[in-house]
mmCIF file of all heavy atoms in Angstrom:
data_model
loop_
_atom_site.group_PDB
_atom_site.id
_atom_site.type_symbol
_atom_site.label_atom_id
_atom_site.label_comp_id
_atom_site.label_asym_id
_atom_site.label_seq_id
_atom_site.Cartn_x
_atom_site.Cartn_y
_atom_site.Cartn_z
ATOM 1 N N ALA A 901 -53.171 0.080 27.972
ATOM 2 C CA ALA A 901 -53.405 1.446 28.452
ATOM 3 C C ALA A 901 -52.271 1.878 29.373
ATOM 4 O O ALA A 901 -51.758 3.002 29.276
ATOM 5 C CB ALA A 901 -54.749 1.493 29.190
ATOM 6 N N SER A 902 -51.840 0.979 30.217
ATOM 7 C CA SER A 902 -50.726 1.309 31.135
ATOM 8 C C SER A 902 -49.450 1.560 30.344
ATOM 9 O O SER A 902 -48.657 2.447 30.669
ATOM 10 C CB SER A 902 -50.484 0.152 32.110
ATOM 11 O OG SER A 902 -51.678 -0.253 32.711
ATOM 12 N N LEU A 903 -49.274 0.762 29.296
ATOM 13 C CA LEU A 903 -48.072 0.934 28.460
ATOM 14 C C LEU A 903 -48.094 2.309 27.795
ATOM 15 O O LEU A 903 -47.080 3.005 27.752
ATOM 16 C CB LEU A 903 -48.006 -0.171 27.395
ATOM 17 C CG LEU A 903 -46.763 -0.075 26.509
ATOM 18 C CD1 LEU A 903 -45.531 -0.511 27.307
ATOM 19 C CD2 LEU A 903 -46.894 -0.937 25.270
ATOM 20 N N HIS A 904 -49.295 2.713 27.279
ATOM 21 C CA HIS A 904 -49.390 4.037 26.647
ATOM 22 C C HIS A 904 -49.036 5.126 27.633
ATOM 23 O O HIS A 904 -48.346 6.082 27.293
ATOM 24 C CB HIS A 904 -50.803 4.245 26.082
ATOM 25 C CG HIS A 904 -50.985 3.569 24.756
ATOM 26 N ND1 HIS A 904 -52.136 3.670 24.005
ATOM 27 C CD2 HIS A 904 -50.171 2.780 24.031
ATOM 28 C CE1 HIS A 904 -52.014 2.969 22.895
ATOM 29 N NE2 HIS A 904 -50.814 2.416 22.889
ATOM 30 N N ASN A 905 -49.499 4.984 28.857
ATOM 31 C CA ASN A 905 -49.135 5.963 29.895
ATOM 32 C C ASN A 905 -47.619 6.045 30.043
ATOM 33 O O ASN A 905 -47.039 7.120 30.132
ATOM 34 C CB ASN A 905 -49.729 5.540 31.250
ATOM 35 C CG ASN A 905 -51.199 5.868 31.317
ATOM 36 O OD1 ASN A 905 -51.673 6.650 30.507
ATOM 37 N ND2 ASN A 905 -51.915 5.271 32.257
ATOM 38 N N MET A 906 -47.030 4.855 30.088
ATOM 39 C CA MET A 906 -45.582 4.796 30.260
ATOM 40 C C MET A 906 -44.865 5.480 29.092
ATOM 41 O O MET A 906 -43.918 6.263 29.284
ATOM 42 C CB MET A 906 -45.136 3.336 30.354
ATOM 43 C CG MET A 906 -43.684 3.164 30.708
ATOM 44 S SD MET A 906 -43.217 1.441 30.656
ATOM 45 C CE MET A 906 -42.450 1.371 29.061
ATOM 46 N N ILE A 907 -45.334 5.199 27.873
ATOM 47 C CA ILE A 907 -44.701 5.795 26.675
ATOM 48 C C ILE A 907 -44.814 7.314 26.729
ATOM 49 O O ILE A 907 -43.865 8.041 26.417
ATOM 50 C CB ILE A 907 -45.347 5.224 25.384
ATOM 51 C CG1 ILE A 907 -44.896 3.764 25.199
ATOM 52 C CG2 ILE A 907 -44.925 6.045 24.160
ATOM 53 C CD1 ILE A 907 -45.507 3.080 24.000
ATOM 54 N N ASP A 908 -46.001 7.822 27.143
ATOM 55 C CA ASP A 908 -46.180 9.280 27.183
ATOM 56 C C ASP A 908 -45.192 9.916 28.170
ATOM 57 O O ASP A 908 -44.595 10.950 27.894
ATOM 58 C CB ASP A 908 -47.627 9.622 27.585
ATOM 59 C CG ASP A 908 -48.604 9.226 26.465
ATOM 60 O OD1 ASP A 908 -48.120 9.066 25.327
ATOM 61 O OD2 ASP A 908 -49.819 9.046 26.732
ATOM 62 N N VAL A 909 -45.038 9.276 29.312
ATOM 63 C CA VAL A 909 -44.094 9.806 30.317
ATOM 64 C C VAL A 909 -42.674 9.828 29.752
ATOM 65 O O VAL A 909 -41.946 10.819 29.860
ATOM 66 C CB VAL A 909 -44.163 8.946 31.603
ATOM 67 C CG1 VAL A 909 -43.022 9.328 32.547
ATOM 68 C CG2 VAL A 909 -45.497 9.125 32.285
ATOM 69 N N GLU A 910 -42.275 8.701 29.112
ATOM 70 C CA GLU A 910 -40.932 8.623 28.525
ATOM 71 C C GLU A 910 -40.737 9.684 27.440
ATOM 72 O O GLU A 910 -39.701 10.339 27.362
ATOM 73 C CB GLU A 910 -40.693 7.222 27.917
ATOM 74 C CG GLU A 910 -40.602 6.098 28.941
ATOM 75 C CD GLU A 910 -39.243 6.046 29.632
ATOM 76 O OE1 GLU A 910 -38.435 6.956 29.469
ATOM 77 O OE2 GLU A 910 -39.022 5.069 30.384
ATOM 78 N N GLY A 911 -41.786 9.850 26.590
ATOM 79 C CA GLY A 911 -41.692 10.826 25.486
ATOM 80 C C GLY A 911 -41.488 12.230 26.010
ATOM 81 O O GLY A 911 -40.640 12.989 25.514
ATOM 82 N N LYS A 912 -42.260 12.573 27.041
ATOM 83 C CA LYS A 912 -42.147 13.902 27.648
ATOM 84 C C LYS A 912 -40.723 14.109 28.173
ATOM 85 O O LYS A 912 -40.106 15.159 27.997
ATOM 86 C CB LYS A 912 -43.166 13.985 28.798
ATOM 87 C CG LYS A 912 -43.461 15.399 29.271
ATOM 88 C CD LYS A 912 -44.647 15.363 30.239
ATOM 89 C CE LYS A 912 -44.647 16.642 31.081
ATOM 90 N NZ LYS A 912 -45.453 16.508 32.276
ATOM 91 N N TYR A 913 -40.198 13.062 28.800
ATOM 92 C CA TYR A 913 -38.841 13.095 29.349
ATOM 93 C C TYR A 913 -37.826 13.411 28.242
ATOM 94 O O TYR A 913 -36.930 14.238 28.409
ATOM 95 C CB TYR A 913 -38.564 11.744 30.001
ATOM 96 C CG TYR A 913 -37.177 11.580 30.587
ATOM 97 C CD1 TYR A 913 -36.901 11.965 31.905
ATOM 98 C CD2 TYR A 913 -36.140 11.038 29.829
ATOM 99 C CE1 TYR A 913 -35.642 11.801 32.444
ATOM 100 C CE2 TYR A 913 -34.874 10.880 30.367
ATOM 101 C CZ TYR A 913 -34.632 11.262 31.672
ATOM 102 O OH TYR A 913 -33.368 11.104 32.193
ATOM 103 N N HIS A 914 -37.987 12.745 27.064
ATOM 104 C CA HIS A 914 -37.050 12.963 25.934
ATOM 105 C C HIS A 914 -37.129 14.388 25.424
ATOM 106 O O HIS A 914 -36.109 15.016 25.136
ATOM 107 C CB HIS A 914 -37.354 11.989 24.792
ATOM 108 C CG HIS A 914 -36.871 10.596 25.057
ATOM 109 N ND1 HIS A 914 -35.608 10.329 25.509
ATOM 110 C CD2 HIS A 914 -37.488 9.387 24.943
ATOM 111 C CE1 HIS A 914 -35.453 9.021 25.676
ATOM 112 N NE2 HIS A 914 -36.594 8.435 25.343
ATOM 113 N N LEU A 915 -38.373 14.912 25.279
ATOM 114 C CA LEU A 915 -38.512 16.274 24.755
ATOM 115 C C LEU A 915 -37.879 17.283 25.721
ATOM 116 O O LEU A 915 -37.196 18.208 25.292
ATOM 117 C CB LEU A 915 -39.996 16.606 24.541
ATOM 118 C CG LEU A 915 -40.631 15.929 23.318
ATOM 119 C CD1 LEU A 915 -42.106 16.239 23.242
ATOM 120 C CD2 LEU A 915 -39.943 16.353 22.023
ATOM 121 N N GLU A 916 -38.078 17.069 27.006
ATOM 122 C CA GLU A 916 -37.516 18.000 27.992
ATOM 123 C C GLU A 916 -35.989 17.975 27.950
ATOM 124 O O GLU A 916 -35.331 18.983 28.214
ATOM 125 C CB GLU A 916 -38.002 17.628 29.404
ATOM 126 C CG GLU A 916 -39.433 18.054 29.680
ATOM 127 C CD GLU A 916 -39.989 17.395 30.944
ATOM 128 O OE1 GLU A 916 -39.222 16.685 31.621
ATOM 129 O OE2 GLU A 916 -41.186 17.591 31.229
ATOM 130 N N ASN A 917 -35.424 16.805 27.609
ATOM 131 C CA ASN A 917 -33.957 16.677 27.596
ATOM 132 C C ASN A 917 -33.352 16.910 26.214
ATOM 133 O O ASN A 917 -32.188 16.627 25.987
ATOM 134 C CB ASN A 917 -33.554 15.300 28.124
ATOM 135 C CG ASN A 917 -33.714 15.229 29.623
ATOM 136 O OD1 ASN A 917 -32.937 15.793 30.379
ATOM 137 N ND2 ASN A 917 -34.776 14.566 30.067
ATOM 138 N N GLY A 918 -34.179 17.403 25.276
ATOM 139 C CA GLY A 918 -33.669 17.765 23.944
ATOM 140 C C GLY A 918 -33.295 16.585 23.075
ATOM 141 O O GLY A 918 -32.289 16.623 22.369
ATOM 142 N N HIS A 919 -34.107 15.518 23.127
ATOM 143 C CA HIS A 919 -33.862 14.381 22.232
ATOM 144 C C HIS A 919 -35.126 14.064 21.426
ATOM 145 O O HIS A 919 -35.768 13.033 21.646
ATOM 146 C CB HIS A 919 -33.429 13.142 23.030
ATOM 147 C CG HIS A 919 -32.178 13.358 23.798
ATOM 148 N ND1 HIS A 919 -30.977 13.637 23.186
ATOM 149 C CD2 HIS A 919 -31.924 13.372 25.134
ATOM 150 C CE1 HIS A 919 -30.047 13.801 24.110
ATOM 151 N NE2 HIS A 919 -30.594 13.653 25.307
ATOM 152 N N PRO A 920 -35.511 15.006 20.511
ATOM 153 C CA PRO A 920 -36.771 14.802 19.765
ATOM 154 C C PRO A 920 -36.751 13.497 18.964
ATOM 155 O O PRO A 920 -37.783 12.863 18.782
ATOM 156 C CB PRO A 920 -36.841 16.015 18.841
ATOM 157 C CG PRO A 920 -35.453 16.558 18.778
ATOM 158 C CD PRO A 920 -34.825 16.235 20.087
ATOM 159 N N GLU A 921 -35.534 13.079 18.520
ATOM 160 C CA GLU A 921 -35.485 11.877 17.682
ATOM 161 C C GLU A 921 -35.942 10.645 18.464
ATOM 162 O O GLU A 921 -36.603 9.754 17.928
ATOM 163 C CB GLU A 921 -34.079 11.666 17.088
ATOM 164 C CG GLU A 921 -32.985 11.231 18.033
ATOM 165 C CD GLU A 921 -32.458 12.328 18.954
ATOM 166 O OE1 GLU A 921 -32.862 13.511 18.783
ATOM 167 O OE2 GLU A 921 -31.662 12.007 19.840
ATOM 168 N N LEU A 922 -35.621 10.613 19.763
ATOM 169 C CA LEU A 922 -36.053 9.473 20.579
ATOM 170 C C LEU A 922 -37.563 9.557 20.857
ATOM 171 O O LEU A 922 -38.254 8.535 20.890
ATOM 172 C CB LEU A 922 -35.266 9.424 21.893
ATOM 173 C CG LEU A 922 -33.762 9.180 21.740
ATOM 174 C CD1 LEU A 922 -33.046 9.252 23.077
ATOM 175 C CD2 LEU A 922 -33.495 7.816 21.107
ATOM 176 N N TYR A 923 -38.049 10.778 21.014
ATOM 177 C CA TYR A 923 -39.493 10.962 21.208
ATOM 178 C C TYR A 923 -40.251 10.450 19.967
ATOM 179 O O TYR A 923 -41.232 9.720 20.075
ATOM 180 C CB TYR A 923 -39.782 12.451 21.441
ATOM 181 C CG TYR A 923 -41.248 12.823 21.299
ATOM 182 C CD1 TYR A 923 -42.196 12.422 22.253
ATOM 183 C CD2 TYR A 923 -41.701 13.569 20.203
ATOM 184 C CE1 TYR A 923 -43.534 12.749 22.114
ATOM 185 C CE2 TYR A 923 -43.029 13.901 20.065
ATOM 186 C CZ TYR A 923 -43.948 13.484 21.020
ATOM 187 O OH TYR A 923 -45.269 13.795 20.873
ATOM 188 N N GLN A 924 -39.695 10.839 18.780
ATOM 189 C CA GLN A 924 -40.350 10.400 17.532
ATOM 190 C C GLN A 924 -40.350 8.882 17.431
ATOM 191 O O GLN A 924 -41.335 8.274 16.996
ATOM 192 C CB GLN A 924 -39.610 11.025 16.331
ATOM 193 C CG GLN A 924 -39.807 12.520 16.244
ATOM 194 C CD GLN A 924 -38.656 13.208 15.500
ATOM 195 O OE1 GLN A 924 -37.786 12.550 14.953
ATOM 196 N NE2 GLN A 924 -38.672 14.530 15.492
ATOM 197 N N GLN A 925 -39.272 8.293 17.839
ATOM 198 C CA GLN A 925 -39.194 6.830 17.766
ATOM 199 C C GLN A 925 -40.245 6.180 18.664
ATOM 200 O O GLN A 925 -40.918 5.230 18.269
ATOM 201 C CB GLN A 925 -37.784 6.402 18.219
ATOM 202 C CG GLN A 925 -37.315 5.138 17.560
ATOM 203 C CD GLN A 925 -35.828 4.917 17.815
ATOM 204 O OE1 GLN A 925 -35.072 5.860 17.797
ATOM 205 N NE2 GLN A 925 -35.436 3.691 18.037
ATOM 206 N N LEU A 926 -40.412 6.747 19.856
ATOM 207 C CA LEU A 926 -41.420 6.205 20.771
ATOM 208 C C LEU A 926 -42.830 6.339 20.196
ATOM 209 O O LEU A 926 -43.654 5.424 20.284
ATOM 210 C CB LEU A 926 -41.352 6.945 22.116
ATOM 211 C CG LEU A 926 -40.381 6.378 23.154
ATOM 212 C CD1 LEU A 926 -40.389 7.245 24.394
ATOM 213 C CD2 LEU A 926 -40.752 4.951 23.524
ATOM 214 N N MET A 927 -43.081 7.525 19.586
ATOM 215 C CA MET A 927 -44.415 7.743 18.995
ATOM 216 C C MET A 927 -44.666 6.763 17.851
ATOM 217 O O MET A 927 -45.777 6.296 17.635
ATOM 218 C CB MET A 927 -44.543 9.185 18.471
ATOM 219 C CG MET A 927 -44.596 10.222 19.567
ATOM 220 S SD MET A 927 -45.915 9.921 20.760
ATOM 221 C CE MET A 927 -45.025 9.632 22.263
ATOM 222 N N LEU A 928 -43.582 6.480 17.126
ATOM 223 C CA LEU A 928 -43.709 5.490 16.045
ATOM 224 C C LEU A 928 -44.115 4.138 16.642
ATOM 225 O O LEU A 928 -44.994 3.448 16.125
ATOM 226 C CB LEU A 928 -42.362 5.371 15.309
ATOM 227 C CG LEU A 928 -42.211 4.156 14.390
ATOM 228 C CD1 LEU A 928 -43.179 4.245 13.217
ATOM 229 C CD2 LEU A 928 -40.805 4.037 13.846
#
Side-chain angles (χ1 to χ4, degrees):
S902 310
L903 181 73
H904 280 184
N905 282 344
M906 187 185 99
I907 288 178
D908 291 341
V909 170
E910 292 282 10
K912 196 171 161 198
Y913 178 88
H914 284 312
L915 285 176
E916 283 167 4
N917 285 286
H919 300 297
E921 71 285 353
L922 296 176
Y923 165 71
Q924 291 155 7
Q925 210 168 321
L926 272 178
M927 290 304 116
L928 166 66

